[in-house]
Amino acid sequence: MNNGRIKVLPDDVKNRISAGEVVEGPSSVIKELVENSLDAGADRIDVHVLQSGMKKIMVSDNGCGIMRDDVALAVMDHATSKISDVHDIEGIDTYGFRGEALACIAAVSDLTVLTRHVSEATGTRLFSSASLPGKTEISDYAGPVGTTVIVENLFYTVPARKKFLKAPQTELRYGRQVLLNAAQASPGVSFTFNTDQKRRQNLPAADSLEERLRQIYGNETSDSCIFEELTDLQAGICGMLSKPDFLLPSRRMQQLFINGRPVDYRYLSFLLSRAYEAVAPRGKYPAAVLFLTIDPSLVDVNIHPAKREVKLFDSRYVDSLILHLAEKVLNRSHNINEKYIHPVTAPEMSDDTMEVQEKPDQTLTVSSEYSSSQKASSPVSFRKTEDQGTLFRTSGSPAPVRELRDLYINMTSQRDWSVLGQLFKTYILAEKGDELYIIDFHAAHERFLYDELRQRGIPREKQELLFPVMAELSMDDCSLVTENLELFSEIGFDMDLFSDNTITIRSVPAVLGKVDEKAFLSEAVDCIREDRRSDRIYDSIAATAACHSANRAGDLLTDMEAELLTEKVFSGKHELRCPHGRPFVHIIKKTDLEKIFKRKL
Ligand code: ADP
Ligand code: MG
């Protein structure tokens, strides 16, 4: 094809190429159209989608409308009413400014614009078809002030693009997310989202951001969070953040908006983990939906065609605002008492659990950390048992029955390890050869239950609930559930939609036993959101089931249980990590202790 001659591409080819950057799928069309409506000052926006947006997307608003003379320009490349010279790019306060969205959409679909400008008595209708590039039909339109844009048959002229689209339900979810994001950025605007499944989401205009977040995330979540704000000379930040005891299994409720645009800010999760360090155990994350308003000249939104990324000129300043806001929330929820403070976990160990840390001073840190952080809960006392010359904890637990004890003495005689006792009601201490084993027994128990479940085959029966449970979910989760009822039913959850935010759970996977249905449901929702296959979903259900039925730290084990668990650890048949990946064995070598006590150098 390359004949070595350079030529300038015709407009329709240019547009089709840039369409690939701006219009990735139906959700980006929705995003561009909704942003245009917001830029037009609308306070009511209705979105309709058919077949996840592939057949039709319609966005109507009551904004200022487009003048008849400008309508044809609107669908031309680099035609915009929002900026006029290069200086304007320095401080953009509208969503749009590139003037390419409508042109790109027109290049890959059939586009109809129905509009009436406030100053005109008659409206205008424009139609353009991707199969006839550059040709537009203009006629009269008798409708109210405002604009309706209809996009039909997306990508019909570029079938190759369709291959890159996600499953229809995923695309629909993205589309809804776009709308929910816009709704969070503009609380005073009323939105509806209508799909062919006759489901309609309704977000009436809210008086405040706090109220809008409540509409979207539901009362339960909002009550578990605190709404807080901070203002500074150059910027303001506000949002909803977790109270210390509201922690989620994933980071999915962490989002930063900068000047109304949801952005992927790389450091957000890190900053939040730092702020919540003292209250969040590993694997638990706070919710934080944050809105930063900053002088537009301090951010550059023009680095990504879809504007998902922004460049901050002073990210350290933004980081400190985020940290301060989180601090304010944690201070305000003066519940930050002993109850919430999670024991400091041992310093990060090497990835391979069975490997001993080589540096003696690091080992020293391990032990000093344990003692300082655990002062409150006094370690269990030890006593010597004569028959085995081993230390056992004192406990009020009944002695094992006679036969079992015999069995267990027999076991002892053949093995090369012994249990020394239990520490802080959390760890088993065991000795083998020249090594001290510290075993986190809850996590170990979890692993063994999980392995057993998987070995026996995870039962796929349902367990009907005697009393259906009502679960309040976010709007997004609720829609995900209603759109995947069959899939949920396959894994054991029978549910009905009760209201926009509430689901009735009628059955749960039998393997769960007596546990918190809502917690499991949210775990399952996460799995489905990540498009995992149903056997993988079963794996995580098994992992959660194991976690919930395993011994909790804080309950002592009987001697027998401690022995059996330790036996399994040394059996070599199990991975020494809990099903969620946390290591549960740490070894300290005799030589490490010798170094600490300076017995040997
Ligand atoms: P941009 O938003 O970057 O300016 P678009 O291609 O999205 O570019 O839109 C081009 C122009 O069409 C806008 O600048 C605006 O003047 C006009 N326009 C588009 N949608 C609407 C709408 N819903 N209401 C009023 N004007 C609109
Ligand atoms: Mg635009």
Side-chain angles (χ1 to χ4, degrees):
M1 278 296 261
N2 187 352
N3 59 10
R5 301 302 305 272
I6 300 176
K7 55 206 159 295
V8 174
L9 293 172
D11 276 352
D12 56 322
V13 181
K14 270 196 264 177
N15 287 347
R16 216 180 266 183
I17 293 173
S18 44
E21 288 170 11
V22 179
V23 187
E24 286 168 328
S27 60
S28 37
V29 173
I30 299 175
K31 173 173 175 287
E32 294 296 338
L33 299 184
V34 167
E35 289 186 351
N36 280 346
S37 298
L38 290 170
D39 282 346
D43 64 8
R44 151 146 224 116
I45 300 174
D46 298 300
V47 179
H48 291 256
V49 295
L50 287 185
Q51 293 178 16
S52 302
M54 292 309 293
K55 181 96 196 94
K56 184 170 177 175
I57 296 170
M58 179 166 97
V59 176
S60 307
D61 67 53
N62 62 353
C64 63
I66 309 172
M67 289 213 223
R68 180 150 202 151
D69 287 348
D70 289 349
V71 176
L73 278 177
V75 296
M76 274 172 62
D77 196 15
H78 299 302
T80 178
S81 55
K82 301 169 193 173
I83 54 173
S84 43
D85 62 31
V86 282
H87 304 296
D88 291 348
I89 302 184
E90 308 282 299
I92 287 157
D93 59 358
T94 49
Y95 284 108
F97 60 88
R98 299 170 66 109
E100 57 187 5
L102 286 183
C104 288
I105 294 169
V108 291
S109 69
D110 290 337
L111 176 79
T112 308
V113 180
L114 305 169
T115 186
R116 179 154 81 91
H117 193 261
V118 261
S119 64
E120 292 179 335
T122 318
T124 315
R125 173 182 179 275
L126 172 146
F127 177 74
S128 102
S129 167
S131 53
L132 296 167
K135 301 229 169 10
T136 47
E137 286 167 25
I138 305 251
S139 53
D140 285 350
Y141 161 70
V145 171
T147 306
T148 296
V149 179
I150 305 166
V151 175
E152 286 166 293
N153 309 319
L154 190 62
F155 298 139
Y156 77 107
T157 49
V158 264
R161 283 217 59 96
K162 288 196 186 173
K163 293 199 196 101
F164 295 100
L165 293 175
K166 298 260 179 344
Q169 277 172 356
T170 313
E171 290 292 344
L172 185 65
R173 210 168 70 230
Y174 289 172
R176 179 179 305 102
Q177 195 54 53
V178 161
L179 190 98
L180 293 177
N181 283 340
Q184 291 172 73
S186 306
V189 177
S190 90
F191 290 89
T192 62
F193 188 74
N194 310 272
T195 65
D196 30 5
Q197 290 153 328
K198 308 268 176 307
R199 280 269 307 125
R200 178 188 164 102
Q201 252 130 9
N202 198 1
L203 290 162
D207 287 335
S208 63
L209 174 61
E210 200 171 347
E211 188 187 323
R212 175 52 52 89
L213 294 179
R214 200 164 271 276
Q215 290 173 341
I216 292 178
Y217 295 99
N219 285 327
E220 226 168 87
T221 301
S222 308
D223 290 342
S224 311
C225 291
I226 286 187
F227 190 89
E228 192 51 272
E229 50 196 328
L230 255 187
T231 32
D232 195 46
L233 284 180
Q234 298 181 79
I237 186 165
C238 63
M240 177 170 108
L241 290 105
S242 280
K243 289 182 185 168
D245 56 346
F246 180 62
L247 299 161
L248 303 168
S250 71
R251 296 191 175 91
R252 75 183 158 86
M253 243 191 99
Q254 299 187 346
Q255 177 68 57
L256 175 67
F257 290 74
I258 299 184
N259 293 346
R261 293 178 206 278
V263 294
D264 303 327
Y265 187 51
R266 269 197 295 157
Y267 303 112
L268 181 65
S269 66
F270 168 77
L271 291 168
L272 292 169
S273 301
R274 229 177 82 187
Y276 281 75
E277 206 167 30
V279 291
R282 216 183 282 177
K284 294 279 184 185
Y285 308 92
V289 188
L290 306 176
F291 301 82
L292 174 77
T293 318
I294 191 165
D295 185 331
S297 63
L298 297 177
V299 283
D300 185 358
V301 287
N302 196 19
I303 58 170
H304 189 282
K307 309 176 194 102
R308 258 195 318 261
E309 291 163 22
V310 296
K311 197 168 147 207
L312 290 164
F313 293 116
D314 189 355
S315 67
R316 261 198 275 163
Y317 173 61
V318 170
D319 292 354
S320 76
L321 285 174
I322 295 175
L323 280 174
H324 275 106
L325 188 74
E327 229 166 71
K328 211 170 158 191
V329 163
L330 289 171
N331 287 339
R332 222 180 89 181
S333 51
H334 30 85
N335 300 332
I336 183 153
N337 55 20
E338 281 288 286
K339 185 174 144 219
Y340 292 124
I341 297 188
H342 190 76
V344 178
T345 37
E348 212 48 53
M349 295 168 195
S350 64
D351 242 352
D352 183 355
T353 25
M354 295 305 284
E355 209 183 271
V356 178
Q357 302 190 351
E358 290 303 337
K359 283 193 221 129
D361 43 7
Q362 245 176 21
T363 322
L364 189 62
T365 333
V366 176
S367 27
S368 63
E369 283 248 7
Y370 278 133
S371 49
S372 63
S373 66
Q374 297 281 358
K375 246 178 244 149
S377 51
S378 66
V380 191
S381 55
F382 292 91
R383 81 181 146 83
K384 209 169 166 98
T385 48
E386 279 136 39
D387 45 354
Q388 288 150 59
T390 319
L391 293 165
F392 276 103
R393 70 187 166 81
T394 329
S395 84
S397 56
V401 288
R402 183 140 192 88
E403 301 81 46
L404 277 177
R405 173 177 288 214
D406 289 347
L407 174 71
Y408 138 87
I409 290 170
N410 276 340
M411 273 164 43
T412 335
S413 57
Q414 291 159 15
R415 61 198 186 186
D416 54 354
W417 52 267
S418 55
V419 171
L420 305 176
Q422 293 175 50
L423 184 63
F424 307 136
K425 299 184 182 172
T426 306
Y427 307 98
I428 297 173
L429 299 183
E431 169 187 4
K432 181 181 176 188
D434 273 353
E435 293 168 335
L436 169 67
Y437 283 69
I438 304 173
I439 304 163
D440 174 338
F441 60 69
H442 169 69
H445 196 180
E446 234 178 283
R447 159 58 64 183
F448 304 145
L449 285 174
Y450 174 74
D451 284 355
E452 198 179 307
L453 265 178
R454 300 219 331 167
Q455 205 183 0
R456 277 191 287 139
I458 303 161
R460 305 215 160 192
E461 290 104 57
K462 288 177 185 176
Q463 176 189 325
E464 299 287 334
L465 298 176
L466 209 48
F467 301 103
V469 170
M470 304 284 243
E472 211 206 48
L473 303 177
S474 70
M475 275 194 173
D476 186 35
D477 285 355
C478 245
S479 321
L480 190 110
V481 167
T482 39
E483 278 150 24
N484 293 284
L485 283 178
E486 251 173 54
L487 185 58
F488 277 102
S489 169
E490 240 171 64
I491 62 172
F493 285 102
D494 279 327
M495 295 177 288
D496 300 310
L497 184 66
F498 184 76
S499 74
D500 258 6
N501 276 106
T502 321
I503 298 278
T504 321
I505 310 177
R506 286 183 283 103
S507 78
V508 296
V511 57
L512 298 185
K514 273 203 191 96
V515 279
D516 182 355
E517 300 82 10
K518 293 183 202 169
F520 278 115
L521 179 60
S522 95
E523 187 106 3
V525 167
D526 275 352
C527 292
I528 288 177
R529 187 190 310 279
E530 287 157 21
D531 288 327
R532 286 196 224 158
R533 292 204 328 271
S534 80
D535 48 335
R536 292 278 311 281
I537 295 175
Y538 258 92
D539 275 358
S540 31
I541 289 182
T544 318
C547 169
H548 283 253
S549 34
N551 277 335
R552 292 262 146 230
D555 294 336
L556 272 177
L557 300 177
T558 62
D559 293 346
M560 189 69 180
E561 286 166 338
E563 292 283 332
L564 288 174
L565 274 181
T566 314
E567 166 105 49
K568 279 181 174 293
V569 169
F570 288 112
S571 69
K573 291 187 189 140
H574 301 275
E575 206 184 316
L576 301 181
R577 283 172 189 277
C578 83
H580 295 107
R582 207 155 47 86
F584 59 73
V585 175
H586 182 66
I587 305 173
I588 298 177
K589 278 193 181 154
K590 190 176 167 205
T591 47
D592 292 330
L593 288 175
E594 286 168 347
K595 282 179 200 155
I596 292 173
F597 292 107
K598 312 241 181 289
R599 285 176 155 263
K600 276 187 197 158
L601 291 172

